[in-house]
Amino acid sequence: MGKARSKRYLPGFHVLIGAACLIALPTLAEDNREEQERLLEEINSGQPVQIRLPDPEEQLPLDDLRKFTEVFSRIKDAYVEEVDDRQLLESAIKGMLADLDPHSTYLAPQDYEELEESTTGEFGGLGIEVGMEDGFVKVIAPIDDTPAQKAGVQAGDLIIKLGDQPVKGLSLEEAVTLMRGKPGTILTLTIMRESESAPIEIDVERDIIRVNSVKSRMLENGYGYVRITQFQSETGADFRAAIEDLMADNEGTLDGLIIDVRNNPGGILQTAVEAADSLLDEGLIVYTEGRIQSSRLRFSATPGDITSGTPTVVLINGGSASASEILAGALQDHRRAVVMGTQSFGKGSVQTVIPLDETHAIKMTTARYFTPDGRSIQARGITPDIEVRPAQLTELEGRPFFTEADLSGHLENGEEDDLDSRARAADEEDSSPIDRDFQLRSALNLLKGMKILDRQQNGAQ
């Protein structure tokens, strides 16, 4: 592996597919360097030097250090099996970090390498973003077009067994290790699902995961759809290109745009900023606040909305986290888009990866991020402007209605009307993805209504 680098992470979920919310930031050492430079300036100027000594009350009490060494010694002497000193020390480090919050962790060489590879869009795994809840592995979101998604794993599932191994009692890292394996091998997941009265088993075939983070298509004439599955290193540029392609296919403009970040677990912070910047002319996009100077950042938009103000809807749900919430929150605060769907996940903390050497690091929460209006998303999430829950609609069969056209001797309309072609078009529309996705259809209907209202207002003027 190359030279160790200090990086800033946002999503904080352990990622089976390797996705990470990454932002390159100054290292923590730069805060100490500023203090050293201040001291040198005072020494060179001949002024009295002010040295800030640590507060004795804030230092680790000697009794606690003795307690630690006593526990260490007891384990060495009396544990049922002999334990290596290095293993005990690494376990102590893991315990310290794990007790802080669910996203702080110790990165051994394999974990560190996986984190470094997580932004490439190609890695091994099942294709799910996971966290821990009540001692079980919780599925934050299955990634589109991955083995887990194809096998039927859903956001919110609790994994209670991996093969024959119960999950209870395992750390998240241990569970992830069990889930990894040679592509082509099958792992049986035993899952508790809210809609099921008993555990269900799902067989998932491991594979190399290659995720195309941006997908787009025209829903209807004038109405574009862009789906972001996660925020990878090229997502910002791909998002912009997708919108430009949609506009080119529709004579250079769009009547409406839908951005779908449902079940998007997050990704690289800068690419979420780039995506928001594509639709904003100016203003703050997101900022972070922490105890150290390097954790206080502000990201602002540059001039130029590539859609020139096209009405936009952002779709979110409980699987939308971190970088997805940054995009939705920024567009919502700037009144640039209507946010529709259900409450997002609420991952609003920032993790810094601090290298310890070439192969080891710690990932530690160092800041919270805030939307332009100063809202903290942590443990709250983004509240949609219009709440639309997933639903499956079926048409009700009723008694047939007679129309004027059914009456004998009715007058003709006077205009040519190909009823057969219209019927065929209606059948094709019924089979479209829009009719299978109630939230997507609701977003499209909203954009159509906005377009009609805009046309009426302009016509009145």
Side-chain angles (χ1 to χ4, degrees), residues 10-23:
L10 260 173
F13 307 127
H14 199 110
V15 193
L16 293 187
I17 50 109
C21 278
L22 174 67
I23 170 172

Side-chain angles (χ1 to χ4, degrees), residues 192-343:
M192 289 292 296
R193 184 173 292 169
E194 187 175 351
S195 61
E196 301 289 340
S197 58
I200 59 175
E201 293 186 351
I202 298 178
D203 293 333
V204 184
E205 182 177 346
R206 298 182 179 96
D207 197 3
I208 298 298
I209 309 301
R210 298 177 179 88
V211 179
N212 181 11
S213 66
V214 178
K215 302 176 182 179
S216 62
R217 67 176 184 270
M218 294 297 293
L219 295 176
E220 293 182 9
N221 290 338
Y223 296 93
Y225 170 84
V226 179
R227 163 87 175 134
I228 306 176
T229 58
Q230 63 181 112
F231 289 89
Q232 300 172 359
S233 57
E234 301 299 322
T235 300
D238 291 345
F239 174 77
R240 186 182 187 95
I243 295 178
E244 291 174 342
D245 289 344
L246 290 173
M247 294 173 64
D249 292 341
N250 196 60
E251 300 180 353
T253 186
L254 291 173
D255 293 328
L257 174 66
I258 297 173
I259 302 171
D260 188 353
V261 290
R262 291 174 295 178
N263 294 328
N264 181 326
I268 303 174
L269 171 62
Q270 284 99 327
T271 59
V273 171
E274 290 171 10
D277 191 9
S278 298
L279 301 176
L280 295 173
D281 279 318
E282 61 181 0
L284 190 62
I285 294 175
V286 65
Y287 67 95
T288 64
E289 290 289 347
R291 293 173 57 203
I292 58 176
Q293 183 62 38
S294 60
S295 66
R296 301 167 197 152
L297 300 171
R298 298 175 71 86
F299 297 88
S300 297
T302 56
D305 175 354
I306 62 173
T307 68
S308 300
T310 294
T312 302
V313 173
V314 179
L315 287 175
I316 64 171
N317 65 3
S320 306
S322 194
S324 300
E325 295 171 297
I326 288 175
L327 174 61
L331 297 181
Q332 186 181 52
D333 282 2
H334 282 284
R335 283 59 170 174
R336 179 61 188 83
V338 175
V339 177
M340 179 182 288
T342 56
Q343 195 82 8

Side-chain angles (χ1 to χ4, degrees), residues 1-5 109 112-114 116 357-360:
M1 187 170 62
K3 185 177 179 182
R5 301 185 294 276
Y112 197 14
E113 289 179 8
E114 291 168 358
E116 290 286 323
D357 54 37
E358 290 293 322
T359 57
H360 296 77

Side-chain angles (χ1 to χ4, degrees), residues 44-325:
N44 293 333
S45 67
Q47 299 177 359
V49 178
Q50 298 180 2
I51 300 178
R52 303 183 182 94
L53 296 176
D55 185 348
E57 294 183 359
E58 295 180 358
Q59 304 307 298
L60 186 65
L62 189 58
D63 288 344
D64 289 334
L65 285 174
R66 289 196 183 103
K67 187 183 299 181
F68 175 82
T69 56
E70 177 69 16
V71 171
F72 188 93
S73 177
R74 296 279 183 171
I75 295 174
K76 286 284 295 179
D77 294 340
Y79 186 65
V80 64
E81 296 178 353
E82 186 175 348
V83 186
D84 181 72
D85 287 350
R86 179 175 295 177
Q87 180 183 344
L88 280 178
L89 288 172
E90 287 200 352
S91 297
I93 295 172
K94 291 178 181 178
M96 277 193 293
L97 290 161
D99 198 50
L100 296 174
D101 62 66
H103 311 302
S104 296
T105 187
Y106 174 71
L107 301 174
Q110 182 178 350
D111 301 318
Y112 197 14
E113 289 179 8
E114 291 168 358
L115 197 59
E116 290 286 323
E117 296 169 356
S118 64
T119 61
T120 63
E122 180 175 327
F123 25 75
L126 301 179
I128 50 177
E129 184 89 17
V130 296
M132 291 295 286
E133 182 175 292
D134 299 328
F136 297 112
V137 175
K138 182 175 182 178
V139 177
I140 305 303
I143 305 302
D144 289 354
D145 300 324
T146 61
Q149 191 260 349
K150 294 175 182 177
V153 178
Q154 298 179 9
D157 285 348
L158 283 180
I159 302 174
I160 60 176
K161 284 180 68 177
L162 298 166
D164 296 328
Q165 175 67 52
V167 171
K168 196 74 171 179
L170 298 179
S171 67
L172 186 57
E173 287 73 20
E174 290 170 334
V176 168
T177 299
L178 290 175
M179 286 188 251
R180 296 188 184 277
K182 184 178 179 180
T185 59
I186 294 176
L187 178 65
T188 300
L189 306 179
T190 304
I191 286 173
M192 289 292 296
R193 184 173 292 169
E194 187 175 351
S195 61
E196 301 289 340
S197 58
I200 59 175
E201 293 186 351
I202 298 178
D203 293 333
V204 184
E205 182 177 346
R206 298 182 179 96
D207 197 3
I208 298 298
I209 309 301
R210 298 177 179 88
V211 179
N212 181 11
S213 66
V214 178
K215 302 176 182 179
S216 62
R217 67 176 184 270
M218 294 297 293
L219 295 176
E220 293 182 9
N221 290 338
Y223 296 93
Y225 170 84
V226 179
R227 163 87 175 134
I228 306 176
T229 58
Q230 63 181 112
F231 289 89
Q232 300 172 359
S233 57
E234 301 299 322
T235 300
D238 291 345
F239 174 77
R240 186 182 187 95
I243 295 178
E244 291 174 342
D245 289 344
L246 290 173
M247 294 173 64
D249 292 341
N250 196 60
E251 300 180 353
T253 186
L254 291 173
D255 293 328
L257 174 66
I258 297 173
I259 302 171
D260 188 353
V261 290
R262 291 174 295 178
N263 294 328
N264 181 326
I268 303 174
L269 171 62
Q270 284 99 327
T271 59
V273 171
E274 290 171 10
D277 191 9
S278 298
L279 301 176
L280 295 173
D281 279 318
E282 61 181 0
L284 190 62
I285 294 175
V286 65
Y287 67 95
T288 64
E289 290 289 347
R291 293 173 57 203
I292 58 176
Q293 183 62 38
S294 60
S295 66
R296 301 167 197 152
L297 300 171
R298 298 175 71 86
F299 297 88
S300 297
T302 56
D305 175 354
I306 62 173
T307 68
S308 300
T310 294
T312 302
V313 173
V314 179
L315 287 175
I316 64 171
N317 65 3
S320 306
S322 194
S324 300
E325 295 171 297

